[in-house]
Amino acid sequence: MTDLPAEVAAPGLVLGVARSALGRRWLWRQGDARTGLAIAQRLDLPELVGQLMAARGIDLEAAPLFLEPTLRALLPDPSVLLDMDRAAERLAAAVRRGEPVAVFGDYDVDGACAGALMLRFLRELGCPVRHYVPDRLKEGYGPNPAAIAALCAEGATLVVCVDCGIAAHEALRAAEGRADVVVLDHHKAEGPVPAVVAAVNPNRLDCGSGLRHLCAAAVGFMAAVATLRELRRSGFFSGRPEPRLLDLLDLVALATVCDVMPLTGLNRAFVTQGLKVMARGARPGIAALLEVAQARDAPSAYTLGFLLGPRINASGRIGEPDLGLRLLACDDPVEARAMAERLDAVNRRRQEVEGEVLAAAFAEAEAQVEAGHPVLLLVGEGWHPGVVGIVAGRVKERFNRPTCVAGLADGLAKGSGRSVPGVDLGAAVIAGRQSGLFETGGGHAMAAGFSFRPEQREAVHAFLNERLAHAADLPASADLLLDGTLLVPAATAALAEQIARLGPFGAGHEEPLFVLPRVRVARADRVGKEGNTVRAFLEGEGGGRLKAVCFRAKEGPLAELLLNSRGAPLHLCGALRAEAWNGAVTASLHVQDGAPAA
């Protein structure tokens, strides 16, 4: 059977677990049972689905659009974004005149997707377009004067900066008198924007759009919508077909998930509709990468975040900075397959480099936690700048503290930071740069990039500790919110498919997690090329058998619990998912945590 907690109005420990294998408290997710029942009755849904929606703050009026999010209902007029009309007018003018355009992007997934989107959009409209992605090690993030000057020298009369540019005042001055510049960005903006034709950014201080949670690819998509409207008004499409903008939504979905944007409202529509586009397999680059990643099921937010995203990111971290963008813009299946295989190989190398840094970072982080630092600042000689962001994320997950990780090279500590909900790391880094502590720095609430001189390390750490002192009140590990109990015989594929109706899941809309009480591990082993996944078969006290998988479990207490329980009863919690294989659909538990049963 499946039970949602009767005591949803009164928080309490689930099964008395105050410290799990991963050091977390298990708590019930709070929700209004009456609202859940009303949703289920009004929309003819299983009561479980209604209760899960209510527990995520969805009310009766919002429920229908939540289940079927559409751009028709949720996409606002692009003009709500400050400077969008000016950007659309300049882009439309470039199209009408067939101007040479340069798209300047970033080397992460959002930058690759936004760059590929703008590249394909303008090319289909007849513009000669080239792209430029800076080398992370040699040039760093964002536009630089030399690169902008070179693009102008090659003939570009319009430079479109995607996922960067909002703080590149000096670099963009290199285009003055030679080319116009349009910025399509989403990073935190401070003070005046660069002197460009248009700077579209929902995080501009003077932009009242209310769309601050959009990624850069989503901003680029809205710019394409506005540009198409401008061209339509001028009669450009008389006698010629319009581009199908909806075909670009797979890129927007991929960027939204991988840039950890909240999957609510408009973003939910972008990802829901983008996954449908991706499932058609029409983009050779994504189809090839899915094949190389051995993705068997229909694309999901998990597919984007854990299979595609890391491989595209890898090229910008330790490989060719523009390889991900070129793959996404590629129309040749044979060429796409070769690039996908290169990305897969680079990603394996990235994992090796990451592993070399991670052990040292964990050790240093543990010492800082014991010393009571609200913010962890970890610096190592020779730590590869391409993996410091990933390492920061892993350390943050383990210790539940905002974490900055930097490698020392060329007289600077260059790094990335990752934060936890409620702690705005980007604003702190920007303030540190304004005070002179950082040489460079910027980002958003959950992530930031920076550099500082090694002799400033203690001052930087003290500044971050003071600025984000409230992080000291966080528990040692983030609480795990559970949605209900589930007995093994009730963990069916049919139930998993009902739960999947609430997807896509991700930041801001977490996947439902259930606890299976007092199960026994009948068999467990390691699977996968690197042995990073534990596969187990669970048996319930009341009968039944269920497959379970635990990813990123090469070592650690959760892997130890699953592999060496020796028949002792365990409480295990995770997400129930349906998996299709050889024509059959089965259920499996994707384990998130566990604890010995009392």
Side-chain angles (χ1 to χ4, degrees):
M1 62 179 288
T2 306
D3 291 319
L4 289 168
E7 66 276 30
V8 289
L13 292 175
V14 176
L15 299 174
V17 177
R19 185 172 180 80
S20 68
L22 298 181
R24 295 184 286 196
R25 294 189 306 171
W26 291 0
L27 302 177
W28 292 124
R29 186 183 298 276
Q30 304 303 295
D32 184 346
R34 289 175 296 181
T35 299
L37 181 59
I39 291 173
Q41 291 174 342
R42 171 81 64 88
L43 301 181
D44 193 24
L45 297 170
E47 184 177 346
L48 170 65
V49 175
Q51 298 288 6
L52 291 173
M53 292 172 68
R56 281 150 182 76
I58 302 159
D59 61 27
L60 190 58
E61 297 306 314
L65 190 56
F66 178 86
L67 289 175
E68 296 292 338
T70 65
L71 290 182
R72 181 181 297 275
L74 292 167
L75 184 69
D77 185 330
S79 297
V80 302
L81 287 161
L82 189 64
D83 264 8
M84 180 60 86
D85 289 342
R86 296 179 64 189
E89 289 168 5
R90 185 60 185 91
L91 288 165
V95 169
R96 287 191 293 266
R97 295 193 289 254
E99 293 182 54
V101 180
V103 175
F104 195 107
D106 187 21
Y107 33 63
D108 69 355
V109 177
D110 190 17
C113 290
L117 184 152
M118 193 54 56
L119 201 70
R120 297 181 70 94
F121 173 67
L122 292 173
R123 278 181 180 166
E124 189 171 352
L125 291 171
C127 278
V129 190
R130 65 152 298 179
H131 70 272
Y132 189 93
V133 179
D135 185 287
R136 180 190 292 262
L137 297 180
K138 298 176 182 177
E139 300 172 271
Y141 166 79
N144 60 81
I148 296 297
L151 292 173
C152 295
E154 291 170 7
T157 56
L158 174 62
V159 177
V160 182
C161 295
V162 293
D163 199 28
C164 60
I166 199 62
H169 296 74
E170 180 182 352
L172 296 182
R173 277 197 288 270
E176 287 181 0
R178 309 175 72 183
D180 289 334
V181 177
V182 168
V183 171
L184 304 174
D185 202 354
H186 76 129
H187 291 92
K188 275 189 178 292
E190 49 184 298
V193 299
V196 296
V197 169
V200 184
N201 184 336
N203 283 297
R204 279 181 61 165
L205 298 178
D206 52 354
C207 181
S209 67
L211 299 174
R212 64 185 183 277
H213 293 309
L214 293 185
C215 69
V219 175
F221 180 83
M222 293 185 70
V225 172
T227 302
L228 212 61
R229 181 175 62 186
E230 182 68 22
L231 290 169
R232 194 181 298 121
R233 287 171 177 166
S234 67
F236 181 80
F237 294 111
S238 297
R240 71 177 80 191
E242 295 187 13
R244 282 180 47 85
L245 293 188
L246 294 183
D247 290 343
L248 299 172
L249 287 176
D250 56 344
L251 298 175
V252 181
L254 178 58
T256 298
V257 171
C258 293
D259 226 41
V260 202
M261 297 294 104
L263 298 191
T264 56
L266 177 57
N267 282 339
R268 182 171 169 78
F270 278 140
V271 176
T272 298
Q273 302 306 323
L275 287 171
K276 294 177 182 177
V277 173
M278 190 177 293
R280 298 202 296 263
R283 192 175 305 284
I286 289 181
L289 202 56
L290 286 169
E291 186 176 346
V292 166
Q294 299 181 2
R296 300 185 180 93
D297 298 322
S300 65
Y302 174 85
T303 310
L304 307 187
F306 291 92
L307 298 182
L308 299 184
R311 288 169 169 82
I312 295 172
N313 254 334
S315 69
R317 295 185 185 281
I318 60 174
E320 306 166 60
D322 69 340
L323 183 55
L325 188 157
R326 287 190 286 120
L327 174 74
L328 296 174
C330 179
D331 289 320
D332 184 335
V334 175
E335 186 180 354
R337 174 70 190 205
M339 285 192 283
E341 289 176 347
R342 289 216 304 279
L343 279 174
D344 191 55
V346 171
N347 188 53
R348 288 196 296 273
R349 173 58 185 149
R350 187 270 305 167
Q351 291 171 328
E352 294 172 1
V353 173
E354 176 191 328
E356 294 167 2
V357 176
L358 196 57
F362 274 146
E364 186 176 349
E366 192 163 357
Q368 291 188 14
V369 169
E370 291 178 357
H373 289 281
V375 179
L376 308 181
L377 178 61
L378 317 174
V379 182
E381 186 74 44
W383 286 1
H384 198 293
V387 302
V388 291
I390 300 175
V391 171
R394 298 284 170 82
V395 173
K396 179 263 298 184
E397 288 175 7
R398 176 174 290 191
F399 296 103
N400 198 37
R401 289 287 186 277
T403 301
C404 295
V405 180
L408 293 172
D410 302 323
L412 279 179
K414 299 179 181 179
S416 293
R418 298 293 183 268
S419 194
V420 297
V423 181
D424 191 337
L425 181 60
V429 168
I430 289 171
R433 195 197 74 232
Q434 291 172 334
S435 72
L437 286 173
F438 290 98
E439 298 295 306
T440 61
H444 48 78
M446 300 299 287
F450 57 84
S451 66
F452 59 84
R453 297 195 175 280
E455 60 268 22
Q456 293 280 60
R457 177 177 178 177
E458 289 188 8
V460 165
H461 203 174
F463 177 87
L464 292 175
N465 279 337
E466 181 179 358
R467 179 90 181 191
L468 304 176
H470 56 292
D473 298 329
L474 294 168
S477 296
D479 293 334
L480 192 63
L481 298 180
L482 303 180
D483 290 276
T485 59
L486 183 64
L487 300 184
V488 171
T492 63
L495 177 60
E497 289 173 336
Q498 290 177 2
I499 295 168
R501 295 184 63 179
L502 301 182
F505 301 112
H509 177 55
E510 292 77 16
E511 187 171 11
L513 298 179
F514 298 91
V515 59
L516 276 68
R518 299 190 63 81
V519 296
R520 299 178 189 272
V521 178
R523 180 166 64 88
D525 54 9
R526 293 190 177 277
V527 296
K529 293 180 181 179
E530 308 296 329
N532 288 336
T533 300
V534 173
R535 177 184 59 187
F537 294 91
L538 310 178
E539 294 178 345
E541 285 193 326
R545 192 175 176 92
L546 178 67
K547 187 181 83 170
V549 292
C550 182
F551 295 105
R552 284 168 53 184
K554 189 168 186 177
E555 57 186 23
L558 186 55
E560 177 72 17
L561 187 72
L562 291 169
L563 291 168
N564 298 298
S565 65
R566 296 181 177 84
L570 306 175
H571 301 319
L572 294 179
C573 62
L576 187 69
R577 297 179 188 164
E579 299 178 346
W581 179 246
N582 286 338
V585 180
T586 59
S588 65
L589 182 76
H590 287 237
V591 178
Q592 300 292 315
D593 204 352

